[in-house]
Amino acid sequence: MRKTPARGVQILQLSIREVWDSATRRFLRWREPRVSDRERSRAVSRSFFLHYHASRIHPFSLRPAYTLGLGLMSFFLFFILLVTGVLLMFYYVPSAERAYSSIQDITYVVTGGRFIRNMHRWAAHGMVVTVLLHMARVFYTGSYARGRSLNWVIGVSLLLLTLLLSFTGYLLPWDQLAFWAVTIGTNIVGSVREFTDMLGTTAWFDPGGFVKSFLLGGDSVGQEALIRFYLLHIVLLPFLAGVLMLVHLWRIRKDGGLSRPGDADEVVLRGRGGTPSGSGPGGEPSILAWPAALWAEAAVLMVTIAALATASFLLDAPLREIADPSAPENPAKAPWYFLGVQELVSYSAFAGGVAIPLLFFTLLLVIPFLDREKDHIGRWFSGASGRQVAGSSALFALLITVGLVGVAIRFGWLHDWIPGLPDLLNMLLNPGSCVVLAYLLFGMRTLRSTGSTRLAVISLFTSSLVGMLLFTAIGFWFRGPDWEFYWNPAQMPGP
Amino acid sequence: MHQPKQDDAPHVIARREFLGKIAAGSLTGAGILVLWGSLDLSLPPTIRSTHPIRLGKSSSYPLNRFTFIPASNLFLYRARHTVSALSAICPHLGCVVRKGEGGFRCPCHGSRFDEQGDLLSGPAARSLDWLRVRRAPDGQLVVLPDERVGPGEELHI
Amino acid sequence: MEEKLIRFYKYLALVSAIICIAVFSLTAAFDHFGRPWQAMQREYRTILAGRAQNDRQRAEAERSPIEVRQLVLPGELRVDRCITCHAGIENPSMDGIRIPFSIHSGDYLTTHPPEKFGCTLCHKGQGRALEVQDVCGVEGHDPSVSLQYVEALCAQCHLTLFVNGLPSSGTEKVRGGLELVRREGCLGCHKLRGVGGHVGPDLTEQGRKGRHYYSFRRIKGDHSVVNWHREHFRDPGGVSPGSSMPAFDLPGREMEPLITFVLGQFSPSLPLDYYSSEVLQEFRSRQSLRTGREAYLLTCSACHRSDGAGRDFGEHPYGAPSIGNPDFQAVASRELIEYAIWSGRGTSRMESWNPILSGLRAEELELIVDHVRGFRPKGPSLAAVKEADGSMLLGRESFAHNCSLCHGEAGEGGPGPSLNSPDFLGAASEEFLYSTIVIGRSNTAMPSWSALPPREIASLILLLRSWQKESRGLSLPRIGGGNSRRGEDLYASRCARCHGRFGEGGIGPAILNPDFLSAASDGYIGQTIARGRAHTPMFGWREDLTRAERLGPDDLGDLISFMRARKDSLLDFLPPGASTGRPLQGRELYHELCSTCHGRAGEGIKAPALNSQEFLSGATNGFLLATLTLGRRGTAMPSWGRGTSEYRRLTAGERLDIVAHLRTWQREVLRRDWISTPEP
């Protein structure tokens, strides 16, 4: 006769069975094909991670040539940076004595360390590039209009955060490159003091000194600065950026999904051959997010990782000699995304370091409010006239920038011709400000001749973009020791 | 006489409003204090270079020349009867200038200054700073790096 | 349409994922199996097993794990992973195998155990790295010192500069470099360990300076620190524009040790037990240099050359006076040399060498002064002169060529005292004349004629004696033991008006001059005071005065004892001596004749500067007159007293005028505060 199991054992057996069923059910559900729209819809809306998507999207949003996946790329790069960053944190020590050797250990000894460090570095540079390109895409397709202005503002803030994240991370290896780039960067920030000095208010109002001592924890780059940069880089800035990104993505949904042109419905219907498959509210075509959107995102993710991994496999992140505060690099160059600013700063510290960047960012922020037109959304350059304006602005920016800078370098500028010129005028009329003024005037001329705020804004944006690229290029290739200009970079004396 | 009911009602509503308002105000105030306190904490409490720099006796320095003091980034000029101190920090972006023939030169963006520290050319907006030199009770020279003085001012020894 | 897009994305995702898998797998495989150091260790394992002498050893060798090995120095000073590849470095059975498996050469690891020293302390490089290019440096890392210069790292702990503390073997290059430095006088401009000049940079930490401390802008060869030094030594002005360093175009067998030496300059930064006690002592407070010659060679010879020959003003960015020149030595007093060394010349070329600035001790500076003074020709002995056979002809020739310039054609006097006075000749003995001629009178215009051969000196004395007519000896009671205080008063009231307040001379000769006092006997002095000198302003204080003003024997005794006592006391400055010339006329002459080389304001163009306060404080009018009169043979300074084919002869009056003009440039008198300066 078989003994019946004790009550306790029975309960145990039942519990195990329940847990197993529940787990496999949940797990196996994923393996069931989602054949009905309802199931597909539920896959998205009932999942914690996926319900960020709307369950239905407009098919136009899937077109790769429209968005180029740049926003997604930026987001995925951020995610990769988080993961690789955490991995690096296993070994990195934010101490001035040990930071450099910990990076050396990561690179030389830790299994996969060199690879992960490379991925982190190239993802960081890549993210700055994709964020800038994404901003350009959003701008040129006019996707800041029609109620998307808040999202635009959030986007510009994210650009700023991305640059700051890259800048704070730049210091952490504590090598000569890092140390001096950050010294230059913080001095640029501190150059607000030049302005308050001129006004005579530095004694009681010194934002330049304030920000500089907040960043540095002292008056020069040292251990305190390293800890602050580390804190900003791994906690404060990622947290802010993450939160803003979540809001940014949520706003997309609230703003009615990705932007699209007025004739998006027709385009989609033409592409399908006339038969809609599923209707969204208001009668426009829509499809389920599962699985179309997810495949699109998966593709962008894998392309990003593949490109990043290949780059990391082939190219090593730089590591120069350990930082030596008594031996400045000559030339000491800021990270590439600040080189344009550094070039402007070499004309005038305040104008180039504070006034022009502030102007630039303010204009960026208020673009949605400058452009009062409503009907150019969703199309690149908003049509042929937009393309033309962009082209002519780019050409104008090229000519005027190269021209003025060339004159300034070859023949000198106002303060060389008129030695007694007061400091204020020197600051206001330096080559950088004159170039920016030219862009502004060209933009206003566009406004007056075409009567369209959208075209004027395209002109301003394009000329500023081209200008920044040119200044960055000058700073990168043509500036050598003592910040001297070399017409032929090959003649630059070696290090 | 029977008072109309409305007389009582406004007082009750006003008190509730007041409580709500003052509660909200206190929350805001507390929040502001938290923010301000965090900012205040994050500003570094000690800046290293505010104490004066001791430089030893004037007789230790070569005559009629600028001697560079690396730790404090300044040049000390000793003449036979006077001593003066010139800051070596470029007023443009804070790089350390170098002494050359006929003046000083900043290696970062090429600002040039003459032997008096006056600006000759370059992106810097003003001349190099002369700093206050004092004599300590034991006769040593002491430079106060935060106190700027006019270009002709010297310590008489 | 959406189907096509979805399919497109699926394909894109697939291809990218395959690329990812490939890259990740490759990376993983490389990290786990493909690293060069792993291959090295496997090879080593094979070699070890091959050399095993029994089965147990072989099994052990084959089982040894493939892993990163490192040496962590005490206190985590360094982490060196070199032994990952250089696995056999301590294994005696690895003799004769190729690098990297072989045992370390020599017995260095016995004296420098790896657990304490690691590898990079001596070989530099990135110890934490595991691959050659990372260790040796790409992109400006501090490269592994090539074995050619490894001795520089020995110098780090073993080099002493001022004593001989280097180990006897294995340090030939560094020793060679040290010898060169001691010979070429590098410390004249550079400081090492607190000693030296400050014209050039302090080199004490030069070994610690990596590539970013150097500017390679004008370097033609490869951009390494070693080559920078090589090119810089050969052409300092070309590599560092504006540099006043002379070129050292040395052959390879001297250049390489010198470079090794320079690269080996470090101040102690490791824990103290790594250093020899001599090195630590040297940094704390070094031993003094033992001889003046050592000190001179170490600090002066770069500019003044080891024999004092100096550097030509035309050849070099700036000249350096030839302090070994016999004419200079003849007229320069010890005080002049002391002033030059202790106060410098107020220019950036000849800096003050006082102990605070130079790190040299006071006694070392005195040794240098002695050594410079030692360049003066010794001069014949009294016996040699007495034995020599003088001739009147030679005497007249010599007198006309040398002495008449100041003492007059017939010895009647001029700027110098008259020599033909019978009173003088009657009082002066052979010894007195000999001393005066051979030693001279320092700080006056009377040079030391020690370069003259004994015969010539004897001839001069003969000539002088020939002027002696009758000798009027004067009998003097014994003069001795006077009251020098009273003598001082007497001197001040009677003698100072002609002989100078400090006895430095004026209308009369410098009678408190130490050289005079050591040459003159009491009798000579007594005679001269008592009798005076006929035909000169010196009247006989006993003979020629009325009773009231006459000096009696007691007075003489007091004066003489005062003068003797005065020999020992030292003024803290140098009285220039009276100037009897006319400054305005001197200025005209100066502008006409001297300013081309010495500059209109004496600032020095092709010749030394004459207007510095340091120079004028150390150079008496006598020195200036004598220099003018005699010139400097072998240099561009002519003898103005004799005249040359290019330059006319200047009379004594003209020369005195020029001296007076030079003296007008003096605005202050620098004190000889080194006399009582305590040791820093």
Side-chain angles (χ1 to χ4, degrees):
Chain A
M1 197 162 61
R2 220 163 109 238
K3 252 181 150 177
T4 45
R7 186 80 186 130
V9 176
Q10 266 184 339
I11 293 177
L12 190 62
Q13 281 177 331
L14 273 169
S15 315
I16 291 174
R17 179 135 209 113
E18 269 181 36
V19 170
W20 176 254
D21 281 345
S22 148
T24 50
R25 213 176 27 242
R26 204 166 285 279
F27 174 65
L28 287 171
R29 186 182 300 152
W30 284 96
R31 303 191 62 218
E32 292 158 15
R34 313 295 167 115
V35 290
S36 74
D37 277 0
R38 183 162 169 271
E39 284 173 3
R40 288 194 205 110
S41 186
R42 290 186 81 212
V44 167
S45 59
R46 284 188 59 104
S47 154
F48 173 75
F49 294 103
L50 292 182
H51 87 287
Y52 229 73
H53 298 78
S55 12
R56 302 193 80 94
I57 61 169
H58 195 288
F60 193 85
S61 308
L62 289 175
R63 297 168 71 101
Y66 180 65
T67 64
L68 300 169
L70 288 167
L72 279 174
M73 260 193 242
S74 311
F75 181 68
F76 291 139
L77 281 173
F78 181 72
F79 181 70
I80 292 169
L81 283 167
L82 282 177
V83 170
T84 52
V86 166
L87 288 175
L88 289 171
M89 278 171 69
F90 273 94
Y91 293 102
Y92 176 74
V93 179
S95 126
E97 287 87 35
R98 298 182 57 179
Y100 186 79
S101 4
S102 65
I103 298 272
Q104 281 185 313
D105 286 341
I106 289 172
T107 311
Y108 302 135
V109 176
V110 169
T111 314
R114 189 188 288 258
F115 185 71
I116 293 292
R117 182 182 171 228
N118 291 348
M119 278 194 75
H120 195 79
R121 187 98 178 190
W122 303 134
H125 285 309
M127 187 174 169
V128 173
V129 172
T130 53
V131 163
L132 285 169
L133 289 175
H134 174 63
M135 178 180 76
R137 191 286 291 170
V138 169
F139 173 80
Y140 283 118
T141 56
S143 308
Y144 50 79
R146 287 240 195 105
R148 290 189 168 86
S149 42
L150 175 62
N151 219 12
W152 169 264
V153 168
I154 294 177
V156 173
S157 318
L158 279 169
L159 169 66
L160 200 56
L161 283 172
T162 307
L163 290 173
L164 284 174
L165 271 167
S166 196
F167 184 62
T168 49
Y170 214 77
L171 178 66
L172 302 185
W174 203 253
D175 67 347
Q176 282 283 83
L177 182 66
F179 187 89
W180 294 105
V182 168
T183 303
I184 296 287
T186 45
N187 281 334
I188 291 177
V189 163
S191 68
V192 183
R193 194 178 265 191
E194 185 185 312
F195 187 61
T196 52
D197 274 350
M198 223 181 289
L199 296 178
T201 61
T202 308
W204 45 270
F205 178 64
D206 185 16
F210 175 84
V211 175
K212 195 171 160 188
S213 74
F214 174 82
L215 283 175
L216 294 184
D219 54 354
S220 66
V221 178
Q223 175 63 64
E224 295 82 9
L226 184 57
I227 275 284
R228 281 169 186 248
F229 272 55
Y230 190 59
L231 174 66
L232 283 167
H233 186 72
I234 67 173
V235 176
L236 294 176
L237 292 173
F239 179 71
L240 270 176
V243 164
L244 279 181
M245 276 182 207
L246 291 177
V247 176
H248 195 66
L249 293 172
W250 182 77
R251 285 295 326 169
I252 297 176
R253 196 171 146 179
K254 283 294 159 187
D255 291 336
L258 291 180
S259 68
R260 43 193 178 276
D263 62 348
D265 297 348
E266 288 85 53
V267 170
V268 168
L269 288 173
R270 238 180 301 128
R272 283 179 185 169
T275 15
S277 74
S279 267
E284 81 248 10
S286 76
I287 64 170
L288 287 162
W290 176 284
L294 297 176
W295 275 117
E297 288 167 14
V300 173
L301 175 66
M302 291 321 293
V303 166
T304 310
I305 298 183
L308 196 60
T310 315
S312 310
F313 188 75
L314 298 172
L315 299 165
D316 279 336
L319 188 65
R320 302 237 191 105
E321 312 101 318
I322 189 170
D324 184 350
S326 59
E329 293 257 294
N330 192 1
K333 289 194 177 175
W336 63 269
Y337 39 87
F338 286 154
L339 264 181
V341 176
Q342 191 177 2
E343 173 67 22
L344 287 174
V345 156
S346 75
Y347 307 135
S348 154
F350 177 71
V354 182
I356 294 178
L358 233 114
L359 180 67
F360 182 71
F361 267 105
T362 315
L363 281 178
L364 265 184
L365 279 173
V366 303
I367 280 179
F369 310 104
L370 289 176
D371 173 13
R372 309 230 65 98
E373 290 162 40
K374 308 241 184 268
D375 52 349
H376 295 300
I377 191 172
R379 193 170 299 132
W380 276 85
F381 298 106
S382 311
S385 55
R387 270 198 292 276
Q388 196 187 43
V389 165
S392 62
S393 309
L395 189 64
F396 174 76
L398 177 70
L399 290 173
I400 197 95
T401 311
V402 170
L404 273 181
V405 170
V407 163
I409 288 173
R410 185 76 176 74
F411 303 107
W413 198 249
L414 289 176
H415 57 83
D416 299 313
W417 307 329
I418 313 168
L421 208 59
D423 286 340
L424 190 64
L425 279 181
N426 262 329
M427 185 187 84
L428 288 176
L429 297 176
N430 71 78
S433 333
C434 291
V435 160
V436 167
L437 192 64
Y439 301 158
L440 284 171
L441 290 173
F442 192 81
M444 297 207 308
R445 176 189 159 280
T446 312
L447 176 64
R448 214 153 5 105
S449 67
T450 62
S452 157
T453 49
R454 165 74 175 156
L455 291 176
V457 150
I458 288 182
S459 160
L460 269 177
F461 187 91
T462 312
S463 45
S464 308
L465 198 63
V466 169
M468 272 320 266
L469 280 172
L470 283 169
F471 282 120
T472 308
I474 294 176
F476 193 83
W477 279 299
F478 295 92
R479 290 288 186 186
D482 291 355
W483 209 252
E484 265 179 52
F485 188 86
Y486 285 82
W487 292 95
N488 181 1
Q491 285 172 350
M492 223 177 274
Chain B
M1 278 294 271
H2 200 51
Q3 286 281 5
K5 269 222 173 103
Q6 288 96 318
D7 283 327
D8 299 338
H11 294 295
V12 173
I13 295 170
R15 204 181 300 138
R16 202 181 298 149
E17 261 181 46
F18 177 69
L19 184 60
K21 284 208 173 93
I22 205 171
S26 312
L27 276 173
T28 317
I32 291 177
L33 265 180
V34 165
L35 279 174
W36 179 86
S38 310
L39 200 62
D40 200 24
L41 177 140
S42 72
L43 286 174
T46 51
I47 308 284
R48 287 205 187 124
S49 73
T50 46
H51 56 255
I53 304 164
R54 290 185 175 276
L55 291 175
K57 295 229 188 291
S58 60
S59 53
S60 325
Y61 293 92
L63 211 51
N64 297 330
R65 284 176 63 188
F66 284 99
T67 310
F68 183 60
I69 317 281
S72 330
N73 284 336
L74 57 88
F75 288 96
L76 199 69
Y77 187 86
R78 180 191 166 212
R80 202 179 294 287
H81 297 298
T82 58
V83 173
S84 36
L86 181 66
S87 169
I89 297 177
C90 180
H92 180 227
L93 282 185
C95 291
V96 177
V97 305
R98 294 183 197 153
K99 181 85 177 58
E101 288 296 313
F104 302 89
R105 192 176 199 295
C106 179
C108 290
H109 301 98
S111 302
R112 278 179 206 271
F113 308 86
D114 68 6
E115 294 261 343
Q116 308 305 314
D118 289 328
L119 180 64
L120 288 173
S121 75
R126 57 170 213 276
S127 311
L128 293 172
D129 295 323
W130 289 89
L131 304 173
R132 166 82 58 202
V133 187
R134 289 233 151 83
R135 198 204 300 276
D138 62 354
Q140 272 195 70
L141 294 172
V142 160
V143 172
L144 306 172
D146 296 331
E147 210 180 309
R148 297 184 210 158
V149 296
E153 283 201 43
E154 311 154 314
L155 177 72
H156 284 262
I157 50 168
Chain C
M1 178 199 79
E2 292 85 65
E3 293 305 317
K4 275 220 300 243
L5 274 177
I6 295 175
R7 216 183 8 247
F8 166 68
Y9 286 131
K10 283 183 187 171
Y11 273 125
L12 197 56
L14 175 65
V15 168
S16 314
I18 290 175
I19 294 177
C20 286
I21 292 174
V23 171
F24 291 149
S25 318
L26 276 173
T27 311
F30 181 71
D31 256 353
H32 282 284
F33 309 111
R35 300 281 294 271
W37 62 264
Q38 291 162 337
M40 289 276 184
Q41 285 200 345
R42 274 182 228 115
E43 197 180 333
Y44 180 69
R45 207 158 54 172
T46 319
I47 296 176
L48 209 59
R51 292 196 163 199
Q53 282 157 352
N54 55 48
D55 283 334
R56 188 182 57 79
Q57 275 185 5
R58 189 169 305 120
E60 231 179 83
E62 281 164 3
R63 265 188 291 115
S64 60
I66 307 287
E67 61 186 3
V68 175
R69 297 199 189 108
Q70 65 188 20
L71 290 162
V72 180
L73 266 49
E76 282 188 52
L77 192 60
R78 298 271 172 110
V79 172
D80 288 342
R81 298 187 175 124
C82 320
I83 52 175
T84 304
C85 290
H86 290 270
I89 208 85
E90 281 187 281
N91 190 336
S93 71
M94 286 294 136
D95 205 3
I97 291 277
R98 69 183 186 288
I99 291 172
F101 304 114
S102 68
I103 188 176
H104 196 286
S105 65
D107 65 344
Y108 294 100
L109 293 192
T110 324
T111 42
H112 303 77
E115 316 80 66
K116 181 164 177 200
F117 288 84
C119 318
T120 56
L121 276 185
C122 300
H123 288 283
K124 282 192 170 179
Q126 298 297 314
R128 286 176 188 258
L130 289 171
E131 265 135 65
V132 173
Q133 70 270 20
D134 297 324
V135 171
C136 295
V138 189
E139 260 228 318
H141 277 264
D142 180 24
S144 246
V145 172
S146 81
L147 281 177
Q148 198 185 356
Y149 301 102
V150 71
E151 281 187 37
L153 277 295
C154 309
Q156 182 186 193
C157 297
H158 289 287
L159 175 67
T160 50
L161 294 176
F162 303 105
V163 297
N164 289 324
L166 280 170
S168 46
S169 72
T171 54
E172 290 75 26
K173 284 224 177 93
V174 173
R175 197 192 303 278
L178 180 59
E179 292 308 318
L180 266 163
V181 166
R182 284 177 174 163
R183 190 185 82 200
E184 296 289 340
C186 307
L187 264 53
C189 293
H190 293 282
K191 267 217 164 61
L192 272 178
R193 303 193 181 176
V195 178
H198 33 246
V199 178
D202 189 327
L203 298 177
T204 311
E205 293 276 21
Q206 201 60 28
R208 219 179 287 288
K209 295 189 173 168
R211 289 180 64 228
H212 44 261
Y213 276 99
Y214 296 91
S215 164
F216 290 90
R217 223 193 268 217
R218 305 165 90 100
I219 296 291
K220 301 181 185 74
D222 82 275
H223 287 197
S224 65
V225 170
V226 167
N227 192 52
W228 188 95
H229 280 293
R230 208 177 280 128
E231 290 192 24
H232 181 258
F233 274 125
R234 297 226 162 93
D235 180 14
V239 169
S240 300
S243 162
S244 49
M245 172 164 161
F248 288 91
D249 198 357
L250 302 167
R253 60 184 155 74
E254 291 194 318
M255 181 67 85
E256 298 306 303
L258 186 59
I259 295 176
T260 309
F261 176 85
V262 172
L263 293 177
Q265 295 310 304
F266 295 85
S267 66
S269 65
L270 303 172
L272 297 180
D273 57 339
Y274 282 85
Y275 297 94
S276 70
S277 57
E278 290 88 6
V279 169
L280 289 176
Q281 185 59 35
E282 189 158 282
F283 276 97
R284 196 156 170 9
S285 82
R286 62 180 177 87
Q287 290 190 32
S288 298
L289 295 162
R290 286 160 309 175
T291 68
R293 185 184 142 77
E294 260 175 26
Y296 175 86
L297 287 177
L298 196 54
T299 55
C300 314
S301 58
C303 294
H304 291 286
R305 296 254 170 81
S306 50
D307 55 356
R311 285 185 189 266
D312 193 336
F313 278 82
E315 155 216 321
H316 188 62
Y318 55 91
S322 54
I323 55 181
N325 184 303
D327 288 326
F328 169 78
Q329 285 293 335
V331 299
S333 65
R334 194 188 165 80
E335 286 78 11
L336 179 89
I337 300 173
E338 277 180 2
Y339 261 100
I341 294 179
W342 281 82
S343 306
R345 281 274 187 265
T347 66
S348 62
R349 308 156 188 176
M350 178 65 186
E351 298 272 5
S352 159
W353 283 86
N354 83 52
I356 296 174
L357 291 177
S358 67
L360 288 171
R361 301 215 172 83
E363 65 262 22
E364 287 168 328
L365 289 172
E366 290 306 308
L367 284 175
I368 294 179
V369 172
D370 288 338
H371 181 75
V372 173
R373 167 43 84 229
F375 285 139
R376 177 188 274 187
K378 280 292 167 300
S381 64
L382 178 59
V385 169
K386 279 192 173 154
E387 274 174 19
D389 199 14
S391 88
M392 281 292 290
L393 189 60
L394 182 57
R396 266 196 279 272
E397 268 177 28
S398 183
F399 190 89
H401 184 70
N402 295 319
C403 319
S404 65
L405 312 173
C406 288
H407 287 287
E409 301 266 336
E412 72 278 14
S418 70
L419 299 178
N420 59 4
S421 158
D423 298 318
F424 163 67
L425 291 167
S429 63
E430 300 289 301
E431 290 81 0
F432 181 81
L433 291 175
Y434 159 82
S435 290
T436 304
I437 296 176
V438 170
I439 297 177
R441 295 265 190 276
S442 60
N443 291 318
T444 70
M446 175 63 184
S448 146
W449 295 99
S450 56
L452 295 179
R455 199 163 165 263
E456 198 166 339
I457 299 177
S459 309
L460 280 171
I461 296 179
L462 199 63
L463 177 68
L464 289 174
R465 284 287 174 227
S466 75
W467 294 334
Q468 189 168 359
K469 301 294 190 305
E470 84 276 10
S471 71
R472 278 193 300 156
L474 188 67
S475 65
L476 290 169
R478 199 175 52 84
I479 313 163
N483 180 341
S484 62
R485 277 291 224 42
R486 204 171 155 265
E488 192 175 346
D489 295 332
L490 277 171
Y491 180 88
S493 62
R494 313 284 177 110
C495 320
R497 66 187 90 135
C498 287
H499 288 284
R501 211 181 121 214
F502 304 103
E504 77 276 17
I507 302 169
I511 57 175
L512 294 181
N513 182 301
D515 293 327
F516 168 75
L517 289 172
S518 51
S521 62
D522 287 355
Y524 174 87
I525 299 176
Q527 291 254 2
T528 309
I529 299 178
R531 164 168 290 139
R533 292 268 166 83
H535 309 299
T536 72
M538 179 67 180
F539 42 85
W541 288 86
R542 208 182 82 164
E543 301 284 298
D544 302 330
L545 291 176
T546 64
R547 182 168 291 275
E549 297 196 347
R550 183 182 296 185
L551 288 179
D554 298 331
D555 301 323
L556 286 178
D558 293 336
L559 261 177
I560 291 174
S561 76
F562 160 70
M563 288 167 71
R564 291 290 174 216
R566 204 33 206 274
K567 181 178 191 280
D568 297 323
S569 83
L570 295 166
L571 289 173
D572 70 343
F573 71 101
L574 208 55
S579 179
T580 54
R582 298 161 299 172
L584 288 176
Q585 281 82 342
R587 192 174 71 168
E588 296 304 313
L589 285 163
Y590 179 87
H591 285 168
E592 180 199 335
L593 301 168
C594 318
S595 55
T596 339
C597 290
H598 286 282
R600 268 190 90 79
E603 72 275 13
I605 305 174
K606 296 182 274 189
L610 301 175
N611 63 356
S612 79
Q613 303 305 305
E614 290 82 358
F615 169 68
L616 290 169
S617 299
T620 56
N621 289 337
F623 168 82
L624 295 172
L625 180 64
T627 306
L628 260 179
T629 306
L630 299 176
R632 298 266 165 86
R633 79 190 74 169
T635 72
M637 177 66 181
S639 163
W640 293 97
R642 300 181 186 117
T644 68
S645 49
E646 286 172 64
Y647 302 104
R648 66 182 173 85
R649 193 173 160 275
L650 290 177
T651 67
E654 289 175 316
R655 286 179 260 136
L656 284 168
D657 289 342
I658 295 180
V659 168
H661 172 64
L662 295 181
R663 192 53 63 190
T664 62
W665 289 334
Q666 184 170 18
R667 288 186 306 279
E668 54 186 301
V669 176
L670 296 183
R671 302 272 148 177
R672 296 168 72 201
D673 46 18
W674 54 85
I675 298 176
S676 51
T677 306
E679 182 101 350

